[in-house]
Amino acid sequence: MSYQEDFDAWKDQIESLPSDQVKLPNQPIDDFVASTETLAVEANEDREALAAAGMDVTLIDELRPLSGALRYCQAVWMSEYRAREEAQKEWLEQSPQAYQLRNELLHHLAFAYRHHSEALQKVMRIREGATHADMVQDLVDIALLGEKYPEPLTAINFDMALLEQSRTVSHAMSELLAASNGAAGDSSANKQMRDKAFTLLAEKARIVRDYGQYVFWKDENQKKRYYA
């Protein structure tokens, strides 16, 4: 089976794990999954001995497909995480120009509307916000304001094409801001799914390891195969 097929088979059980039982990975997922897949092979060789001690041997059969499901969850989360990192990098590169455009446009509008009290008040309100989200919205508001009161702008030979540019930049920066903020840490559904898959697999692997160490307590070579 593919990793996605493994995930599809385990999806309901992973999702149903209560959030208060979820544990964060305490080692790299690739290393954890590799050791668990090795455990599945070795425990299967000791299947009869583990069953004789009262262990439910279906746990052994679950280790491999659940490992595949965890690999799939990890891949999905890392894809989202890397996309967010790339968006954050692009934001850092592009946002200074967007802020500069906003400030230049406000400078022009404030002068053009210096004798137009209603429009000037709107310019002052646009200036109030200081967050990234404010900047994105400001660019749209500037375009709308300039289109509503074009005469004072043309009187100072303002380039009206800048209003459309302002709207375009706002749209692009809005998407970039959403991407850079959208998958943040524990709020990500994909990360939560990864953590649940890890928790479920870790618990099953722990039970198998506990039984293995119990059964082979007199044989150190056998016993150490069940160490985490």
Side-chain angles (χ1 to χ4, degrees), residues 32 35 53 55 63 83 90 94 155 171-172 179 189 206 212 219:
F32 171 72
S35 67
M55 192 187 87
L63 294 179
E90 289 186 34
Q94 298 180 28
H171 178 72
R206 182 194 63 78
D219 186 339

Side-chain angles (χ1 to χ4, degrees), residues 105-123:
L105 290 174
L106 286 174
H107 171 72
H108 293 310
L109 266 63
F111 182 75
Y113 298 143
R114 65 193 184 281
H115 300 310
H116 194 304
S117 60
E118 181 179 351
L120 186 59
Q121 287 178 4
K122 292 182 180 181
V123 171

Side-chain angles (χ1 to χ4, degrees), residues 12-27:
D12 290 342
Q13 292 188 57
I14 294 172
E15 286 182 330
S16 64
L17 187 70
S19 297
D20 60 0
Q21 296 180 19
V22 174
K23 298 178 180 178
L24 297 178
N26 56 4
Q27 59 181 296

Side-chain angles (χ1 to χ4, degrees), residues 160-175:
M160 299 298 287
L162 289 174
L163 298 179
E164 185 58 32
Q165 180 183 345
S166 181
R167 194 192 308 275
T168 300
V169 171
S170 174
H171 178 72
M173 297 307 292
S174 174
E175 292 185 341

Side-chain angles (χ1 to χ4, degrees), residues 4-17 66 69 72-73 193 196-197 200:
Q4 181 167 358
E5 289 172 331
D6 288 333
F7 171 73
D8 290 339
W10 281 91
K11 182 175 183 288
D12 290 342
Q13 292 188 57
I14 294 172
E15 286 182 330
S16 64
L17 187 70
L66 189 49
Y72 176 81
C73 291
M193 185 70 78
K196 286 186 175 185
L200 196 60

Side-chain angles (χ1 to χ4, degrees), residues 1 18 61 92 129 136-137 155 173 212:
M1 295 178 70
D61 301 325
L92 290 175
V136 171
Q137 184 61 44
M173 297 307 292

